[in-house]
Amino acid sequence: MTQTDAATATLPSLSGIHHLGLTVRDIDESEHWYADVLGMVRVFVEPHPAGGGTLW
């Protein structure tokens, strides 16, 4: 077994993503892009009284 084989043999496989947080410049434009290109949908909006913010 090579050093590369040994290193990759211990890595877990990726079976999905539970959640993801992103910072974007334009939320409306970004929401359309992530929906159209990646098929993502906004799940909820979390209010941030001190500074704004949206989670999807």
Side-chain angles (χ1 to χ4, degrees):
M1 183 181 299
T2 68
Q3 187 176 10
T4 303
D5 292 336
T8 58
T10 60
L11 296 176
S13 63
L14 180 63
S15 62
I17 297 174
H18 183 267
H19 66 276
L20 178 67
L22 302 169
T23 301
V24 298
R25 187 178 330 158
D26 183 323
I27 188 66
D28 294 322
E29 182 179 322
S30 297
E31 181 175 3
H32 289 293
W33 187 88
Y34 283 101
D36 294 344
V37 175
L38 300 178
M40 298 172 81
V41 295
R42 187 186 307 203
V43 177
F44 65 94
V45 174
E46 182 175 325
H48 294 272
T54 300
L55 300 176
W56 41 310

mmCIF file of all heavy atoms in Angstrom:
data_model
loop_
_atom_site.group_PDB
_atom_site.id
_atom_site.type_symbol
_atom_site.label_atom_id
_atom_site.label_comp_id
_atom_site.label_asym_id
_atom_site.label_seq_id
_atom_site.Cartn_x
_atom_site.Cartn_y
_atom_site.Cartn_z
ATOM 1 N N MET A 1 0.848 -1.173 0.000
ATOM 2 C CA MET A 1 0.000 0.000 0.000
ATOM 3 C C MET A 1 0.894 1.236 0.000
ATOM 4 O O MET A 1 1.811 1.350 0.796
ATOM 5 C CB MET A 1 -0.910 -0.034 1.237
ATOM 6 C CG MET A 1 -1.868 1.099 1.285
ATOM 7 S SD MET A 1 -2.975 1.144 2.744
ATOM 8 C CE MET A 1 -3.874 -0.355 2.609
ATOM 9 N N THR A 2 0.585 2.181 -0.865
ATOM 10 C CA THR A 2 1.371 3.415 -0.932
ATOM 11 C C THR A 2 0.933 4.366 0.182
ATOM 12 O O THR A 2 -0.104 4.169 0.817
ATOM 13 C CB THR A 2 1.202 4.113 -2.288
ATOM 14 O OG1 THR A 2 -0.131 4.598 -2.380
ATOM 15 C CG2 THR A 2 1.535 3.186 -3.442
ATOM 16 N N GLN A 3 1.701 5.428 0.392
ATOM 17 C CA GLN A 3 1.366 6.413 1.413
ATOM 18 C C GLN A 3 0.036 7.091 1.087
ATOM 19 O O GLN A 3 -0.781 7.330 1.967
ATOM 20 C CB GLN A 3 2.477 7.452 1.522
ATOM 21 C CG GLN A 3 2.278 8.420 2.670
ATOM 22 C CD GLN A 3 3.438 9.379 2.830
ATOM 23 O OE1 GLN A 3 4.316 9.447 1.974
ATOM 24 N NE2 GLN A 3 3.458 10.107 3.915
ATOM 25 N N THR A 4 -0.220 7.363 -0.189
ATOM 26 C CA THR A 4 -1.488 7.971 -0.605
ATOM 27 C C THR A 4 -2.649 7.035 -0.336
ATOM 28 O O THR A 4 -3.687 7.453 0.169
ATOM 29 C CB THR A 4 -1.453 8.349 -2.098
ATOM 30 O OG1 THR A 4 -0.355 9.240 -2.317
ATOM 31 C CG2 THR A 4 -2.744 9.010 -2.527
ATOM 32 N N ASP A 5 -2.492 5.751 -0.638
ATOM 33 C CA ASP A 5 -3.550 4.775 -0.377
ATOM 34 C C ASP A 5 -3.863 4.697 1.114
ATOM 35 O O ASP A 5 -5.022 4.637 1.509
ATOM 36 C CB ASP A 5 -3.153 3.391 -0.885
ATOM 37 C CG ASP A 5 -3.083 3.317 -2.396
ATOM 38 O OD1 ASP A 5 -3.753 4.133 -3.054
ATOM 39 O OD2 ASP A 5 -2.356 2.450 -2.907
ATOM 40 N N ALA A 6 -2.847 4.703 1.944
ATOM 41 C CA ALA A 6 -3.045 4.625 3.390
ATOM 42 C C ALA A 6 -3.785 5.855 3.911
ATOM 43 O O ALA A 6 -4.651 5.744 4.770
ATOM 44 C CB ALA A 6 -1.702 4.471 4.097
ATOM 45 N N ALA A 7 -3.472 7.028 3.396
ATOM 46 C CA ALA A 7 -4.108 8.261 3.850
ATOM 47 C C ALA A 7 -5.572 8.301 3.449
ATOM 48 O O ALA A 7 -6.429 8.701 4.236
ATOM 49 C CB ALA A 7 -3.371 9.473 3.290
ATOM 50 N N THR A 8 -5.894 7.897 2.243
ATOM 51 C CA THR A 8 -7.290 7.961 1.785
ATOM 52 C C THR A 8 -8.117 6.792 2.298
ATOM 53 O O THR A 8 -9.335 6.883 2.366
ATOM 54 C CB THR A 8 -7.368 8.019 0.252
ATOM 55 O OG1 THR A 8 -6.717 6.882 -0.295
ATOM 56 C CG2 THR A 8 -6.750 9.294 -0.277
ATOM 57 N N ALA A 9 -7.492 5.715 2.693
ATOM 58 C CA ALA A 9 -8.233 4.552 3.184
ATOM 59 C C ALA A 9 -8.914 4.849 4.511
ATOM 60 O O ALA A 9 -9.900 4.209 4.856
ATOM 61 C CB ALA A 9 -7.293 3.360 3.330
ATOM 62 N N THR A 10 -8.427 5.821 5.266
ATOM 63 C CA THR A 10 -8.999 6.124 6.571
ATOM 64 C C THR A 10 -10.025 7.260 6.525
ATOM 65 O O THR A 10 -10.616 7.578 7.538
ATOM 66 C CB THR A 10 -7.882 6.495 7.566
ATOM 67 O OG1 THR A 10 -7.188 7.635 7.068
ATOM 68 C CG2 THR A 10 -6.923 5.344 7.766
ATOM 69 N N LEU A 11 -10.247 7.870 5.382
ATOM 70 C CA LEU A 11 -11.202 8.968 5.275
ATOM 71 C C LEU A 11 -12.634 8.434 5.228
ATOM 72 O O LEU A 11 -12.915 7.475 4.526
ATOM 73 C CB LEU A 11 -10.933 9.794 4.013
ATOM 74 C CG LEU A 11 -9.593 10.531 3.963
ATOM 75 C CD1 LEU A 11 -9.424 11.218 2.624
ATOM 76 C CD2 LEU A 11 -9.493 11.529 5.100
ATOM 77 N N PRO A 12 -13.547 9.055 5.978
ATOM 78 C CA PRO A 12 -14.947 8.633 5.897
ATOM 79 C C PRO A 12 -15.562 9.070 4.573
ATOM 80 O O PRO A 12 -15.117 10.039 3.950
ATOM 81 C CB PRO A 12 -15.609 9.363 7.062
ATOM 82 C CG PRO A 12 -14.747 10.553 7.293
ATOM 83 C CD PRO A 12 -13.345 10.142 6.904
ATOM 84 N N SER A 13 -16.576 8.373 4.135
ATOM 85 C CA SER A 13 -17.264 8.765 2.905
ATOM 86 C C SER A 13 -18.306 9.832 3.218
ATOM 87 O O SER A 13 -18.858 9.885 4.308
ATOM 88 C CB SER A 13 -17.931 7.558 2.247
ATOM 89 O OG SER A 13 -18.918 7.036 3.106
ATOM 90 N N LEU A 14 -18.552 10.695 2.254
ATOM 91 C CA LEU A 14 -19.539 11.760 2.393
ATOM 92 C C LEU A 14 -20.870 11.248 1.868
ATOM 93 O O LEU A 14 -20.968 10.823 0.717
ATOM 94 C CB LEU A 14 -19.095 12.995 1.598
ATOM 95 C CG LEU A 14 -20.018 14.202 1.628
ATOM 96 C CD1 LEU A 14 -20.141 14.747 3.046
ATOM 97 C CD2 LEU A 14 -19.512 15.276 0.695
ATOM 98 N N SER A 15 -21.896 11.287 2.717
ATOM 99 C CA SER A 15 -23.198 10.788 2.280
ATOM 100 C C SER A 15 -24.241 11.887 2.172
ATOM 101 O O SER A 15 -25.365 11.639 1.762
ATOM 102 C CB SER A 15 -23.693 9.702 3.243
ATOM 103 O OG SER A 15 -23.853 10.239 4.540
ATOM 104 N N GLY A 16 -23.894 13.112 2.545
ATOM 105 C CA GLY A 16 -24.841 14.215 2.436
ATOM 106 C C GLY A 16 -24.376 15.410 3.254
ATOM 107 O O GLY A 16 -23.350 15.352 3.920
ATOM 108 N N ILE A 17 -25.146 16.473 3.202
ATOM 109 C CA ILE A 17 -24.843 17.685 3.957
ATOM 110 C C ILE A 17 -26.041 17.984 4.837
ATOM 111 O O ILE A 17 -27.177 18.036 4.362
ATOM 112 C CB ILE A 17 -24.567 18.878 3.010
ATOM 113 C CG1 ILE A 17 -23.329 18.598 2.163
ATOM 114 C CG2 ILE A 17 -24.395 20.164 3.806
ATOM 115 C CD1 ILE A 17 -23.058 19.644 1.112
ATOM 116 N N HIS A 18 -25.802 18.183 6.125
ATOM 117 C CA HIS A 18 -26.891 18.476 7.060
ATOM 118 C C HIS A 18 -27.302 19.935 6.984
ATOM 119 O O HIS A 18 -28.476 20.260 6.890
ATOM 120 C CB HIS A 18 -26.480 18.115 8.485
ATOM 121 C CG HIS A 18 -27.559 18.331 9.476
ATOM 122 N ND1 HIS A 18 -27.698 19.505 10.181
ATOM 123 C CD2 HIS A 18 -28.570 17.539 9.863
ATOM 124 C CE1 HIS A 18 -28.741 19.419 10.970
ATOM 125 N NE2 HIS A 18 -29.292 18.232 10.804
ATOM 126 N N HIS A 19 -26.344 20.845 7.042
ATOM 127 C CA HIS A 19 -26.656 22.271 6.922
ATOM 128 C C HIS A 19 -25.431 23.012 6.400
ATOM 129 O O HIS A 19 -24.325 22.489 6.437
ATOM 130 C CB HIS A 19 -27.128 22.856 8.254
ATOM 131 C CG HIS A 19 -26.078 22.865 9.323
ATOM 132 N ND1 HIS A 19 -25.818 21.775 10.102
ATOM 133 C CD2 HIS A 19 -25.232 23.832 9.719
ATOM 134 C CE1 HIS A 19 -24.851 22.072 10.953
ATOM 135 N NE2 HIS A 19 -24.466 23.316 10.740
ATOM 136 N N LEU A 20 -25.677 24.206 5.931
ATOM 137 C CA LEU A 20 -24.621 24.990 5.313
ATOM 138 C C LEU A 20 -24.910 26.465 5.550
ATOM 139 O O LEU A 20 -26.038 26.915 5.366
ATOM 140 C CB LEU A 20 -24.600 24.696 3.800
ATOM 141 C CG LEU A 20 -23.624 25.433 2.926
ATOM 142 C CD1 LEU A 20 -22.199 25.010 3.263
ATOM 143 C CD2 LEU A 20 -23.919 25.156 1.471
ATOM 144 N N GLY A 21 -23.920 27.206 5.994
ATOM 145 C CA GLY A 21 -24.064 28.650 6.179
ATOM 146 C C GLY A 21 -23.179 29.396 5.203
ATOM 147 O O GLY A 21 -22.001 29.076 5.082
ATOM 148 N N LEU A 22 -23.731 30.359 4.504
ATOM 149 C CA LEU A 22 -22.985 31.117 3.499
ATOM 150 C C LEU A 22 -23.205 32.608 3.706
ATOM 151 O O LEU A 22 -24.299 33.034 4.056
ATOM 152 C CB LEU A 22 -23.462 30.751 2.089
ATOM 153 C CG LEU A 22 -23.361 29.284 1.690
ATOM 154 C CD1 LEU A 22 -24.110 29.042 0.410
ATOM 155 C CD2 LEU A 22 -21.914 28.877 1.557
ATOM 156 N N THR A 23 -22.176 33.390 3.456
ATOM 157 C CA THR A 23 -22.301 34.841 3.449
ATOM 158 C C THR A 23 -22.323 35.288 1.993
ATOM 159 O O THR A 23 -21.445 34.910 1.224
ATOM 160 C CB THR A 23 -21.111 35.493 4.172
ATOM 161 O OG1 THR A 23 -21.081 35.017 5.518
ATOM 162 C CG2 THR A 23 -21.229 37.005 4.170
ATOM 163 N N VAL A 24 -23.328 36.055 1.617
ATOM 164 C CA VAL A 24 -23.484 36.488 0.224
ATOM 165 C C VAL A 24 -23.704 37.995 0.174
ATOM 166 O O VAL A 24 -24.141 38.600 1.145
ATOM 167 C CB VAL A 24 -24.647 35.751 -0.482
ATOM 168 C CG1 VAL A 24 -24.389 34.262 -0.536
ATOM 169 C CG2 VAL A 24 -25.967 36.030 0.208
ATOM 170 N N ARG A 25 -23.415 38.575 -0.964
ATOM 171 C CA ARG A 25 -23.569 40.017 -1.158
ATOM 172 C C ARG A 25 -25.028 40.397 -1.396
ATOM 173 O O ARG A 25 -25.513 41.403 -0.891
ATOM 174 C CB ARG A 25 -22.721 40.462 -2.346
ATOM 175 C CG ARG A 25 -22.667 41.943 -2.551
ATOM 176 C CD ARG A 25 -21.781 42.364 -3.692
ATOM 177 N NE ARG A 25 -20.680 41.406 -3.853
ATOM 178 C CZ ARG A 25 -19.999 41.231 -4.955
ATOM 179 N NH1 ARG A 25 -20.257 41.933 -6.009
ATOM 180 N NH2 ARG A 25 -19.025 40.344 -5.038
ATOM 181 N N ASP A 26 -25.732 39.629 -2.203
ATOM 182 C CA ASP A 26 -27.117 39.936 -2.571
ATOM 183 C C ASP A 26 -27.956 38.685 -2.336
ATOM 184 O O ASP A 26 -27.884 37.724 -3.092
ATOM 185 C CB ASP A 26 -27.164 40.348 -4.040
ATOM 186 C CG ASP A 26 -28.545 40.759 -4.512
ATOM 187 O OD1 ASP A 26 -29.550 40.150 -4.064
ATOM 188 O OD2 ASP A 26 -28.637 41.669 -5.353
ATOM 189 N N ILE A 27 -28.763 38.683 -1.268
ATOM 190 C CA ILE A 27 -29.509 37.488 -0.875
ATOM 191 C C ILE A 27 -30.511 37.058 -1.939
ATOM 192 O O ILE A 27 -30.662 35.869 -2.208
ATOM 193 C CB ILE A 27 -30.181 37.667 0.508
ATOM 194 C CG1 ILE A 27 -30.788 36.351 0.989
ATOM 195 C CG2 ILE A 27 -31.248 38.748 0.462
ATOM 196 C CD1 ILE A 27 -29.800 35.271 1.275
ATOM 197 N N ASP A 28 -31.191 37.995 -2.569
ATOM 198 C CA ASP A 28 -32.195 37.625 -3.577
ATOM 199 C C ASP A 28 -31.542 36.989 -4.800
ATOM 200 O O ASP A 28 -31.988 35.947 -5.286
ATOM 201 C CB ASP A 28 -33.030 38.840 -3.985
ATOM 202 C CG ASP A 28 -33.886 39.354 -2.834
ATOM 203 O OD1 ASP A 28 -34.400 38.509 -2.061
ATOM 204 O OD2 ASP A 28 -34.038 40.576 -2.712
ATOM 205 N N GLU A 29 -30.473 37.609 -5.289
ATOM 206 C CA GLU A 29 -29.757 37.058 -6.443
ATOM 207 C C GLU A 29 -29.147 35.693 -6.101
ATOM 208 O O GLU A 29 -29.216 34.753 -6.888
ATOM 209 C CB GLU A 29 -28.656 38.025 -6.880
ATOM 210 C CG GLU A 29 -27.893 37.577 -8.103
ATOM 211 C CD GLU A 29 -26.834 38.582 -8.520
ATOM 212 O OE1 GLU A 29 -27.084 39.800 -8.430
ATOM 213 O OE2 GLU A 29 -25.752 38.127 -8.931
ATOM 214 N N SER A 30 -28.580 35.597 -4.925
ATOM 215 C CA SER A 30 -27.955 34.345 -4.505
ATOM 216 C C SER A 30 -28.986 33.236 -4.331
ATOM 217 O O SER A 30 -28.741 32.087 -4.696
ATOM 218 C CB SER A 30 -27.192 34.547 -3.197
ATOM 219 O OG SER A 30 -26.142 35.465 -3.394
ATOM 220 N N GLU A 31 -30.143 33.574 -3.768
ATOM 221 C CA GLU A 31 -31.192 32.570 -3.588
ATOM 222 C C GLU A 31 -31.617 31.994 -4.938
ATOM 223 O O GLU A 31 -31.754 30.781 -5.082
ATOM 224 C CB GLU A 31 -32.398 33.171 -2.878
ATOM 225 C CG GLU A 31 -33.489 32.143 -2.651
ATOM 226 C CD GLU A 31 -34.645 32.682 -1.842
ATOM 227 O OE1 GLU A 31 -34.659 33.878 -1.495
ATOM 228 O OE2 GLU A 31 -35.553 31.882 -1.565
ATOM 229 N N HIS A 32 -31.773 32.855 -5.941
ATOM 230 C CA HIS A 32 -32.138 32.373 -7.275
ATOM 231 C C HIS A 32 -31.036 31.478 -7.847
ATOM 232 O O HIS A 32 -31.312 30.423 -8.415
ATOM 233 C CB HIS A 32 -32.418 33.541 -8.227
ATOM 234 C CG HIS A 32 -33.677 34.263 -7.909
ATOM 235 N ND1 HIS A 32 -34.926 33.694 -8.048
ATOM 236 C CD2 HIS A 32 -33.889 35.511 -7.446
ATOM 237 C CE1 HIS A 32 -35.840 34.558 -7.676
ATOM 238 N NE2 HIS A 32 -35.243 35.673 -7.299
ATOM 239 N N TRP A 33 -29.779 31.867 -7.686
ATOM 240 C CA TRP A 33 -28.667 31.084 -8.232
ATOM 241 C C TRP A 33 -28.596 29.717 -7.564
ATOM 242 O O TRP A 33 -28.515 28.689 -8.236
ATOM 243 C CB TRP A 33 -27.344 31.825 -8.062
ATOM 244 C CG TRP A 33 -26.213 31.133 -8.749
ATOM 245 C CD1 TRP A 33 -25.824 31.299 -10.044
ATOM 246 C CD2 TRP A 33 -25.349 30.128 -8.203
ATOM 247 N NE1 TRP A 33 -24.767 30.459 -10.331
ATOM 248 C CE2 TRP A 33 -24.454 29.722 -9.216
ATOM 249 C CE3 TRP A 33 -25.249 29.520 -6.965
ATOM 250 C CZ2 TRP A 33 -23.478 28.764 -9.019
ATOM 251 C CZ3 TRP A 33 -24.268 28.562 -6.761
ATOM 252 C CH2 TRP A 33 -23.399 28.196 -7.795
ATOM 253 N N TYR A 34 -28.619 29.681 -6.234
ATOM 254 C CA TYR A 34 -28.522 28.394 -5.536
ATOM 255 C C TYR A 34 -29.718 27.501 -5.839
ATOM 256 O O TYR A 34 -29.586 26.278 -5.907
ATOM 257 C CB TYR A 34 -28.370 28.603 -4.030
ATOM 258 C CG TYR A 34 -26.965 29.012 -3.654
ATOM 259 C CD1 TYR A 34 -26.648 30.342 -3.379
ATOM 260 C CD2 TYR A 34 -25.940 28.083 -3.599
ATOM 261 C CE1 TYR A 34 -25.365 30.726 -3.061
ATOM 262 C CE2 TYR A 34 -24.637 28.458 -3.277
ATOM 263 C CZ TYR A 34 -24.362 29.769 -3.013
ATOM 264 O OH TYR A 34 -23.087 30.146 -2.703
ATOM 265 N N ALA A 35 -30.877 28.081 -6.039
ATOM 266 C CA ALA A 35 -32.052 27.292 -6.391
ATOM 267 C C ALA A 35 -31.954 26.759 -7.818
ATOM 268 O O ALA A 35 -32.181 25.573 -8.062
ATOM 269 C CB ALA A 35 -33.319 28.124 -6.217
ATOM 270 N N ASP A 36 -31.598 27.632 -8.761
ATOM 271 C CA ASP A 36 -31.550 27.237 -10.173
ATOM 272 C C ASP A 36 -30.401 26.276 -10.470
ATOM 273 O O ASP A 36 -30.563 25.302 -11.197
ATOM 274 C CB ASP A 36 -31.421 28.460 -11.079
ATOM 275 C CG ASP A 36 -32.646 29.350 -11.050
ATOM 276 O OD1 ASP A 36 -33.709 28.899 -10.578
ATOM 277 O OD2 ASP A 36 -32.538 30.513 -11.498
ATOM 278 N N VAL A 37 -29.218 26.546 -9.919
ATOM 279 C CA VAL A 37 -28.030 25.764 -10.249
ATOM 280 C C VAL A 37 -27.905 24.508 -9.384
ATOM 281 O O VAL A 37 -27.600 23.429 -9.888
ATOM 282 C CB VAL A 37 -26.753 26.627 -10.132
ATOM 283 C CG1 VAL A 37 -25.505 25.801 -10.346
ATOM 284 C CG2 VAL A 37 -26.811 27.776 -11.140
ATOM 285 N N LEU A 38 -28.145 24.655 -8.084
ATOM 286 C CA LEU A 38 -27.917 23.529 -7.170
ATOM 287 C C LEU A 38 -29.197 22.877 -6.651
ATOM 288 O O LEU A 38 -29.131 21.867 -5.948
ATOM 289 C CB LEU A 38 -27.069 23.998 -5.972
ATOM 290 C CG LEU A 38 -25.691 24.559 -6.326
ATOM 291 C CD1 LEU A 38 -24.987 25.032 -5.070
ATOM 292 C CD2 LEU A 38 -24.854 23.529 -7.068
ATOM 293 N N GLY A 39 -30.342 23.463 -6.955
ATOM 294 C CA GLY A 39 -31.607 22.885 -6.508
ATOM 295 C C GLY A 39 -31.894 23.098 -5.030
ATOM 296 O O GLY A 39 -32.732 22.422 -4.450
ATOM 297 N N MET A 40 -31.195 24.047 -4.406
ATOM 298 C CA MET A 40 -31.402 24.314 -2.981
ATOM 299 C C MET A 40 -32.631 25.200 -2.800
ATOM 300 O O MET A 40 -32.988 25.982 -3.676
ATOM 301 C CB MET A 40 -30.177 25.012 -2.392
ATOM 302 C CG MET A 40 -28.909 24.182 -2.470
ATOM 303 S SD MET A 40 -27.442 25.105 -1.977
ATOM 304 C CE MET A 40 -27.575 24.973 -0.205
ATOM 305 N N VAL A 41 -33.265 25.056 -1.644
ATOM 306 C CA VAL A 41 -34.413 25.902 -1.309
ATOM 307 C C VAL A 41 -34.209 26.481 0.089
ATOM 308 O O VAL A 41 -33.595 25.848 0.945
ATOM 309 C CB VAL A 41 -35.749 25.122 -1.363
ATOM 310 C CG1 VAL A 41 -36.041 24.669 -2.775
ATOM 311 C CG2 VAL A 41 -35.732 23.949 -0.415
ATOM 312 N N ARG A 42 -34.719 27.678 0.289
ATOM 313 C CA ARG A 42 -34.631 28.305 1.611
ATOM 314 C C ARG A 42 -35.551 27.549 2.555
ATOM 315 O O ARG A 42 -36.722 27.339 2.278
ATOM 316 C CB ARG A 42 -35.049 29.766 1.540
ATOM 317 C CG ARG A 42 -34.807 30.492 2.844
ATOM 318 C CD ARG A 42 -35.338 31.894 2.862
ATOM 319 N NE ARG A 42 -34.858 32.682 1.738
ATOM 320 C CZ ARG A 42 -34.813 34.002 1.751
ATOM 321 N NH1 ARG A 42 -35.216 34.665 2.810
ATOM 322 N NH2 ARG A 42 -34.396 34.651 0.696
ATOM 323 N N VAL A 43 -35.011 27.170 3.705
ATOM 324 C CA VAL A 43 -35.776 26.392 4.671
ATOM 325 C C VAL A 43 -36.459 27.294 5.683
ATOM 326 O O VAL A 43 -37.616 27.092 6.027
ATOM 327 C CB VAL A 43 -34.858 25.375 5.386
ATOM 328 C CG1 VAL A 43 -35.611 24.604 6.434
ATOM 329 C CG2 VAL A 43 -34.235 24.423 4.375
ATOM 330 N N PHE A 44 -35.744 28.287 6.183
ATOM 331 C CA PHE A 44 -36.341 29.216 7.134
ATOM 332 C C PHE A 44 -35.531 30.504 7.181
ATOM 333 O O PHE A 44 -34.405 30.550 6.698
ATOM 334 C CB PHE A 44 -36.460 28.602 8.531
ATOM 335 C CG PHE A 44 -35.134 28.301 9.194
ATOM 336 C CD1 PHE A 44 -34.548 29.219 10.055
ATOM 337 C CD2 PHE A 44 -34.497 27.093 8.977
ATOM 338 C CE1 PHE A 44 -33.338 28.940 10.664
ATOM 339 C CE2 PHE A 44 -33.294 26.801 9.589
ATOM 340 C CZ PHE A 44 -32.716 27.724 10.443
ATOM 341 N N VAL A 45 -36.125 31.523 7.773
ATOM 342 C CA VAL A 45 -35.447 32.804 7.976
ATOM 343 C C VAL A 45 -35.328 32.987 9.484
ATOM 344 O O VAL A 45 -36.313 32.885 10.202
ATOM 345 C CB VAL A 45 -36.247 33.972 7.354
ATOM 346 C CG1 VAL A 45 -35.601 35.303 7.693
ATOM 347 C CG2 VAL A 45 -36.367 33.781 5.856
ATOM 348 N N GLU A 46 -34.114 33.234 9.947
ATOM 349 C CA GLU A 46 -33.875 33.447 11.374
ATOM 350 C C GLU A 46 -33.655 34.930 11.616
ATOM 351 O O GLU A 46 -32.725 35.523 11.059
ATOM 352 C CB GLU A 46 -32.637 32.663 11.810
ATOM 353 C CG GLU A 46 -32.353 32.779 13.272
ATOM 354 C CD GLU A 46 -31.194 31.903 13.690
ATOM 355 O OE1 GLU A 46 -31.016 30.803 13.144
ATOM 356 O OE2 GLU A 46 -30.433 32.344 14.553
ATOM 357 N N PRO A 47 -34.496 35.556 12.427
ATOM 358 C CA PRO A 47 -34.335 36.989 12.682
ATOM 359 C C PRO A 47 -33.079 37.280 13.513
ATOM 360 O O PRO A 47 -32.737 36.534 14.419
ATOM 361 C CB PRO A 47 -35.594 37.372 13.451
ATOM 362 C CG PRO A 47 -36.112 36.114 14.015
ATOM 363 C CD PRO A 47 -35.633 34.999 13.127
ATOM 364 N N HIS A 48 -32.387 38.353 13.154
ATOM 365 C CA HIS A 48 -31.207 38.815 13.886
ATOM 366 C C HIS A 48 -31.409 40.301 14.162
ATOM 367 O O HIS A 48 -30.998 41.147 13.376
ATOM 368 C CB HIS A 48 -29.939 38.608 13.052
ATOM 369 C CG HIS A 48 -29.612 37.172 12.817
ATOM 370 N ND1 HIS A 48 -28.851 36.453 13.692
ATOM 371 C CD2 HIS A 48 -29.962 36.322 11.824
ATOM 372 C CE1 HIS A 48 -28.734 35.218 13.252
ATOM 373 N NE2 HIS A 48 -29.398 35.109 12.127
ATOM 374 N N PRO A 49 -32.057 40.637 15.287
ATOM 375 C CA PRO A 49 -32.386 42.031 15.585
ATOM 376 C C PRO A 49 -31.187 42.966 15.578
ATOM 377 O O PRO A 49 -31.308 44.123 15.214
ATOM 378 C CB PRO A 49 -33.006 41.980 16.989
ATOM 379 C CG PRO A 49 -33.403 40.563 17.187
ATOM 380 C CD PRO A 49 -32.496 39.722 16.335
ATOM 381 N N ALA A 50 -30.009 42.463 15.906
ATOM 382 C CA ALA A 50 -28.838 43.333 15.973
ATOM 383 C C ALA A 50 -28.146 43.515 14.633
ATOM 384 O O ALA A 50 -27.262 44.341 14.517
ATOM 385 C CB ALA A 50 -27.840 42.776 16.982
ATOM 386 N N GLY A 51 -28.501 42.734 13.607
ATOM 387 C CA GLY A 51 -27.737 42.904 12.384
ATOM 388 C C GLY A 51 -28.297 42.257 11.146
ATOM 389 O O GLY A 51 -27.693 42.340 10.097
ATOM 390 N N GLY A 52 -29.402 41.610 11.186
ATOM 391 C CA GLY A 52 -29.960 40.996 9.993
ATOM 392 C C GLY A 52 -29.264 39.694 9.658
ATOM 393 O O GLY A 52 -28.190 39.392 10.135
ATOM 394 N N GLY A 53 -29.900 38.903 8.820
ATOM 395 C CA GLY A 53 -29.335 37.640 8.416
ATOM 396 C C GLY A 53 -30.437 36.672 8.020
ATOM 397 O O GLY A 53 -31.521 36.722 8.575
ATOM 398 N N THR A 54 -30.154 35.837 7.072
ATOM 399 C CA THR A 54 -31.119 34.876 6.594
ATOM 400 C C THR A 54 -30.444 33.528 6.514
ATOM 401 O O THR A 54 -29.315 33.420 6.058
ATOM 402 C CB THR A 54 -31.628 35.269 5.187
ATOM 403 O OG1 THR A 54 -32.228 36.547 5.271
ATOM 404 C CG2 THR A 54 -32.660 34.270 4.681
ATOM 405 N N LEU A 55 -31.138 32.483 6.943
ATOM 406 C CA LEU A 55 -30.630 31.116 6.821
ATOM 407 C C LEU A 55 -31.530 30.364 5.857
ATOM 408 O O LEU A 55 -32.727 30.508 5.868
ATOM 409 C CB LEU A 55 -30.643 30.410 8.187
ATOM 410 C CG LEU A 55 -29.806 31.066 9.268
ATOM 411 C CD1 LEU A 55 -30.004 30.307 10.583
ATOM 412 C CD2 LEU A 55 -28.351 31.093 8.901
ATOM 413 N N TRP A 56 -30.907 29.539 4.998
ATOM 414 C CA TRP A 56 -31.687 28.675 4.118
ATOM 415 C C TRP A 56 -31.011 27.382 3.952
ATOM 416 O O TRP A 56 -29.957 27.113 4.368
ATOM 417 C CB TRP A 56 -32.077 29.281 2.810
ATOM 418 C CG TRP A 56 -31.128 30.118 2.047
ATOM 419 C CD1 TRP A 56 -30.381 31.159 2.469
ATOM 420 C CD2 TRP A 56 -30.858 30.027 0.653
ATOM 421 N NE1 TRP A 56 -29.692 31.712 1.441
ATOM 422 C CE2 TRP A 56 -29.961 31.031 0.306
ATOM 423 C CE3 TRP A 56 -31.308 29.192 -0.362
ATOM 424 C CZ2 TRP A 56 -29.508 31.221 -0.982
ATOM 425 C CZ3 TRP A 56 -30.855 29.392 -1.630
ATOM 426 C CH2 TRP A 56 -29.963 30.392 -1.934
#
